[in-house]
Amino acid sequence: MRPKRLISLLVAVCMMITMLPLSAVTAFAEDTSTEYEATIDGYEYFYKVNEGGKTVTITRFFALDVSHSHYADIPETLGDGNYTVTAIGKNAFFNCQALAKVTIPQSVTSIGDGAFQNSSLTDVTIPQGVTSIGEDAFYNCYGLTSVTIPQSVASIGKQAFRECRQLKSLTIKDAATSIGEEAFMLCESLTTLKLGEKIKTVGESAFSQCGLTSVTIPDSVTSIGDWAFSYCPSLTTLSLGENIETIGEGAFYVCPALTNVTIPKKVETIKPYTFDYDPYLDGCSHLESITLPAGLTSFQDSLDDCPADCVIYFNNDEDTAVERFGSHDVLAGHKLLCLLCNVTFDANGGNLTDKGGNLTNQAVVPVYKTEKITKDEVDKLTPTRAGYNFTGWYTTPDGKPEDGKFDVNKTEITKNTTFYARWDKVPVYHPLTVTGGIVTVKKDGQSLNIVPDVTGDKKTYSVPEGATVTVTLDKTAVPNGKVFDGWSTTLPTGQDYKTESITFTMNTMNSNVNVSAKYRDAATDHTPATAVCHPLTVTGGIVTVKNGDKDVTDTLTVTTDETTGKKTYSVPDGATVTVTLDKTLIPEGMVFDIWSTGKFSLPLGQDYKAETITFTMNTMNTMSSDVDIAAQYRDATIEDDGPGVLGTAAIIGTAAVGTAVLAYQTYQLGAEFAGKLMALPYFPSNRSALAMMLWEDAGKPMPESELLYPDVEQEEQDMDLQHAARWAMENELIPDLNDEGTAPEEMKFFPANPVSKLDVLNAWQKAQELKNN
């Protein structure tokens, strides 16, 4: 037969074969002598019984009904249910051009070589239980778009998915330990790849000529085969696991989008063509840097197509680089930077999220010769700490500004250095709601301007932890016909709610505070607007006020001096006042001695030494606007010096002054003056006796005024008292009890008014100072 006729005959036969229906095309089986067949749902399955006689392997497949040719639901059993299908045999579904979808039963454990090769599959589910995928198993399944390899698969055979050109995503779960040669070669649409954490080897050309854009090799991988990722034009990001020991020749050959590569620390050799170029293609032409591990001993790649400014970082010193690589020209004339030092970033009580997304306490960034640490490297570290704000990196753990804040653009790194994170505690705020008050807030001595949220007459402030809050009555907010009656509040006990101004610290004990002004009817009030009131200031005593038979103590307006503790009450005229010693305020080591009164005269017969005193508040008992009653104390070891400071001229000898009075006044006035009191001739009990003692001690000087006091006798024998009283008053040694505006000729001296020990001691000290001057 002539050759041309033979060729024509062969072409005709091929054309006839391609025109046959799917049911007329059989797969190629290894051994048909033991085959059985079963027809199920319009499909004819050929199978052989496996060793053991209970399981079978499908060897061939036919679609008897063309309407069923696009979908095959492979049965789990064959032979009237007597045999379980456990394997898809070699070439079992080879060249099934109309078959689009296959469901593989859960009983299958292996998919043989070429099992679905050249088929038109678009959808396949590989069940959990399959342990191996054979060579060419899905070779040239050009319609396949997505594949998930289950955890049960231990190995993926050579060219298993080669030329699946529509395959876009691939997930290999944590079971497969190896990927065979050319397993996914020419998967041009494959952009997404997720490798399992148990894969150890990536075979030769496994992902060559794929459309991958980003590849992360897990730490389980120890070797990458020759040309494994070659000709991947879109690959821009590459992360290599730290346990890789071998990177094959041409592994990243012609990856023009790749910019930065870090070689793992266990790799000792960079083989030829790893980053090289193809003379007809654009090689690794955008590579900006390659970081080499400290243990690298050989660099065999020429880097011919890499940019001239591509930097080679070597995690070792310059002497080692010269020793291992000879001159720097060995690296194709590229800039070689050797490690100068390491910069450690310490989270200082917080955590760092490094560039790999891992949580750590410290991160080390290498710095290379002639370079500062780069801002990108620092920005990759994300410091976090619950309840704190990160404010920068400092050279000391305290993070004080004077210790030097790290500035990536200015700080020169010339030695191993540690920088510590500085943290500022996130301020805690508490809500404060105020009605009828004016709020001031201070923190660390600074006044804070806090704008409240306003709802009706309520104002809510967000106050920082530890701030001092003062709420003062807003008198413009008092309703017509009403007067202030105290604060309604959620603050702890101990706060005086009757004062127009209250102060407290905002903290977790005082969180969510609500302060509201209370009011009462002015018509029944005793305030200056409706009644005559007198100010009464008390120190060290508990005040009770009755207006007739009614106890009006809780209705009084009270202000408190935060420094001295004095409380000033607005007491209605004619009210009965009782002041009782507050024993909780007696200083440690002291006992109560007497009541001290200023510009105030108690009725005759009142005992200043009694723990409780009672009097009527009226113009007879209030000679000025400054009524002041204060508890006085003495050392508990000192005996009381007797009951009489109110009688007629109680004479106290020098010895008595040296014991009882000396200790008392030392506590009140100071030790320096105590010794001078030893010279007191006596201890006067009223104003006339005090004036005479002071005047005589001063040498009986004459007063400037010749006016006489109308309440001092004007007989000849009493002129000394007139002179003594006038001189004492002119030199302000004794308080002036006259009302303001009293005419000089009408001024009185009040000679019989009693004087307290404190009055005597104060007057004596002033007189001594006057005499010395």
Side-chain angles (χ1 to χ4, degrees):
M1 184 179 295
R2 295 180 180 178
K4 287 186 178 181
R5 175 174 286 184
L6 177 59
I7 293 173
S8 298
L9 181 60
L10 289 173
V11 170
V13 171
C14 291
M15 292 177 65
M16 291 175 63
I17 291 174
T18 58
M19 295 175 64
L20 291 174
L22 177 65
S23 59
V25 180
T26 64
F28 304 105
E30 295 181 75
D31 181 7
T32 60
S33 60
T34 58
E35 278 187 329
Y36 299 89
E37 63 178 289
T39 301
I40 299 175
D41 295 333
Y43 298 112
E44 189 170 8
Y45 296 93
F46 290 84
Y47 62 93
K48 63 180 180 180
V49 179
N50 299 325
E51 186 177 351
K54 294 183 179 180
T55 63
V56 298
T57 298
I58 294 176
T59 56
R60 289 186 295 160
F61 166 83
F62 289 96
L64 300 177
D65 186 343
V66 175
S67 64
H68 289 280
S69 62
H70 298 290
Y71 172 75
D73 189 356
I74 301 175
E76 192 164 324
T77 61
L78 291 172
D80 294 331
N82 294 324
Y83 304 105
T84 301
V85 177
T86 58
I88 307 298
K90 182 176 182 180
N91 298 326
F93 292 83
F94 178 83
N95 209 29
C96 290
Q97 292 297 306
L99 189 60
K101 183 176 181 180
V102 169
T103 299
I104 301 174
Q106 295 290 330
S107 58
V108 172
T109 59
S110 68
I111 299 174
D113 296 347
F116 296 93
Q117 184 177 355
N118 290 350
S119 69
S120 57
L121 282 179
T122 59
D123 190 353
V124 63
T125 299
I126 301 174
Q128 178 70 25
V130 172
T131 59
S132 64
I133 298 175
E135 296 182 6
D136 305 322
F138 296 91
Y139 189 127
N140 197 31
C141 288
Y142 48 83
L144 201 58
T145 59
S146 177
V147 171
T148 296
I149 310 296
Q151 290 180 329
S152 57
V153 173
S155 62
I156 301 172
K158 179 179 180 180
Q159 300 186 123
F161 293 88
R162 176 173 171 155
E163 296 187 40
C164 292
R165 297 180 184 271
Q166 299 300 315
L167 185 62
K168 294 180 180 179
S169 66
L170 169 65
T171 299
I172 301 176
K173 295 191 175 180
D174 297 341
T177 58
S178 65
I179 300 175
E181 296 177 15
E182 302 180 6
F184 297 92
M185 184 175 180
L186 283 166
C187 292
E188 299 168 348
S189 300
L190 182 60
T191 58
T192 303
L193 169 64
K194 184 175 181 181
L195 298 178
E197 294 291 337
K198 293 186 178 180
I199 292 177
K200 294 185 179 300
T201 61
V202 178
E204 180 179 334
S205 299
F207 294 95
S208 179
Q209 300 180 63
C210 286
L212 294 169
T213 59
S214 176
V215 170
T216 298
I217 307 296
D219 291 340
S220 57
V221 174
T222 58
S223 68
I224 296 176
D226 295 347
W227 317 99
F229 294 92
S230 61
Y231 296 102
C232 289
S234 300
L235 182 60
T236 58
T237 304
L238 176 65
S239 177
L240 301 176
E242 63 178 16
N243 291 313
I244 294 174
E245 299 174 1
T246 304
I247 297 176
E249 183 175 311
F252 307 104
Y253 182 83
V254 188
C255 292
L258 199 58
T259 56
N260 300 282
V261 177
T262 297
I263 304 299
K265 60 185 178 181
K266 294 183 180 181
V267 175
E268 296 182 357
T269 301
I270 299 298
K271 296 182 179 180
Y273 308 111
T274 301
F275 304 103
D276 219 327
Y277 79 111
D278 186 307
Y280 303 104
L281 297 172
D282 188 12
C284 293
S285 55
H286 290 81
L287 200 59
E288 297 174 0
S289 70
I290 304 172
T291 301
L292 305 178
L296 191 77
T297 58
S298 175
F299 195 100
Q300 301 172 10
D301 196 334
S302 66
L303 300 178
D304 286 342
D305 197 40
C306 293
D309 58 354
C310 177
V311 180
I312 312 298
Y313 294 97
F314 182 41
N315 287 347
N316 214 319
D317 55 58
E318 192 167 3
D319 292 341
T320 303
V322 172
E323 177 186 340
R324 294 182 183 177
F325 312 130
S327 70
H328 296 173
D329 292 339
V330 138
L331 297 178
H334 293 278
K335 184 178 182 181
L336 176 64
L337 297 181
C338 297
L339 188 63
L340 176 66
C341 53
N342 287 324
V343 177
T344 301
F345 289 88
D346 191 314
N348 196 20
N351 290 305
L352 287 176
T353 303
D354 62 19
K355 59 184 180 181
N358 304 308
L359 208 61
T360 181
N361 294 322
Q362 286 188 341
V364 178
V365 178
V367 179
Y368 298 90
K369 187 175 180 181
T370 75
E371 281 198 348
K372 296 177 184 177
I373 189 169
T374 65
K375 187 175 186 301
D376 287 345
E377 290 293 334
V378 177
D379 289 346
K380 289 175 184 176
L381 305 174
T382 305
T384 56
R385 185 178 179 184
Y388 290 83
N389 288 326
F390 171 71
T391 59
W393 296 103
Y394 288 80
T395 55
T396 65
D398 292 340
K400 298 178 181 177
E402 61 268 22
D403 294 331
K405 185 177 181 180
F406 170 67
D407 186 334
V408 71
N409 297 313
K410 296 180 180 179
T411 306
E412 295 284 354
I413 307 298
T414 58
K415 61 181 180 179
N416 289 344
T417 304
T418 298
F419 290 111
Y420 300 88
R422 177 181 175 181
W423 304 101
D424 283 352
K425 192 172 181 63
V426 175
V428 176
Y429 291 87
H430 302 287
L432 167 66
T433 301
V434 175
T435 306
I438 300 170
V439 174
T440 58
V441 181
K442 287 187 175 182
K443 180 74 182 290
D444 299 328
Q446 300 293 320
S447 296
L448 305 181
N449 183 21
I450 302 175
V451 178
D453 292 330
V454 180
T455 304
D457 57 353
K458 290 184 178 181
K459 296 179 179 180
T460 300
Y461 302 78
S462 184
V463 181
E465 172 89 9
T468 299
V469 175
T470 299
V471 180
T472 304
L473 176 67
D474 184 355
K475 295 183 179 180
T476 64
V478 178
N480 290 333
K482 299 288 185 178
V483 291
F484 176 68
D485 193 40
W487 298 103
S488 173
T489 176
T490 57
L491 286 179
T493 56
Q495 192 73 231
D496 188 351
Y497 301 113
K498 288 295 183 180
T499 61
E500 292 185 356
S501 180
I502 56 175
T503 299
F504 52 90
T505 301
M506 206 71 176
N507 52 37
T508 52
M509 296 294 292
N510 291 335
S511 61
N512 198 20
V513 176
N514 193 323
V515 178
S516 179
K518 297 187 300 181
Y519 311 101
R520 63 179 181 271
D521 289 337
T524 59
D525 192 38
H526 51 257
T527 62
T530 59
V532 176
C533 291
H534 305 286
L536 170 64
T537 301
V538 175
T539 306
I542 301 171
V543 173
T544 304
V545 178
K546 285 189 175 182
N547 203 354
D549 295 331
K550 183 180 179 182
D551 189 331
V552 296
T553 307
D554 289 341
T555 67
L556 301 180
T557 300
V558 186
T559 59
T560 301
D561 187 321
E562 297 295 335
T563 303
T564 64
K566 290 184 178 181
K567 294 184 178 181
T568 300
Y569 302 78
S570 182
V571 181
D573 188 71
T576 300
V577 177
T578 299
V579 181
T580 303
L581 177 68
D582 187 346
K583 296 182 179 181
T584 64
L585 300 179
I586 298 176
E588 186 176 356
M590 307 296 289
V591 294
F592 173 69
D593 191 40
I594 61 172
W595 291 105
S596 169
T597 62
K599 295 187 178 180
F600 179 76
S601 178
L602 289 179
L604 291 176
Q606 191 73 232
D607 186 358
Y608 279 75
K609 299 184 74 65
E611 292 185 356
T612 299
I613 57 177
T614 302
F615 54 91
T616 301
M617 202 72 174
N618 54 36
T619 53
M620 294 296 295
N621 288 336
T622 53
M623 298 305 173
S624 77
S625 60
D626 295 328
V627 179
D628 195 327
I629 298 177
Q632 304 294 335
Y633 314 100
R634 69 173 186 275
D635 194 302
T637 62
I638 297 175
E639 299 263 343
D640 191 0
D641 58 353
V645 294
L646 300 176
T648 57
I651 305 300
I652 301 177
T654 303
V657 173
T659 57
V661 177
L662 181 60
Y664 164 76
Q665 66 81 33
T666 298
Y667 172 73
Q668 294 292 338
L669 303 176
E672 181 181 353
F673 183 63
K676 298 178 182 179
L677 291 178
M678 301 296 291
L680 272 175
Y682 56 87
F683 207 98
S685 63
N686 57 26
R687 288 167 62 88
S688 60
L690 175 59
M692 287 298 294
M693 183 185 73
L694 298 175
W695 185 63
E696 289 173 351
D697 181 71
K700 298 183 178 182
M702 292 301 292
E704 294 180 3
S705 174
E706 296 181 357
L707 293 175
L708 301 179
Y709 288 112
D711 58 344
V712 175
E713 293 294 336
Q714 300 181 24
E715 299 297 330
E716 182 177 350
Q717 63 269 24
D718 292 321
M719 289 306 294
D720 282 352
L721 179 56
Q722 285 279 4
H723 295 155
R726 182 67 65 179
W727 174 82
M729 290 283 284
E730 287 177 349
N731 288 283
E732 297 181 353
L733 302 179
I734 296 178
D736 183 357
L737 302 182
N738 291 279
D739 291 336
E740 293 182 11
T742 301
E745 63 274 8
E746 296 178 359
M747 293 182 67
K748 296 181 180 181
F749 180 61
F750 304 98
N753 274 29
V755 289
S756 69
K757 291 178 180 180
L758 184 59
D759 294 333
V760 173
L761 298 180
N762 285 333
W764 180 259
Q765 183 177 13
K766 290 180 180 180
Q768 298 308 304
E769 291 174 353
L770 179 65
K771 186 166 64 174
N772 292 334
N773 293 331

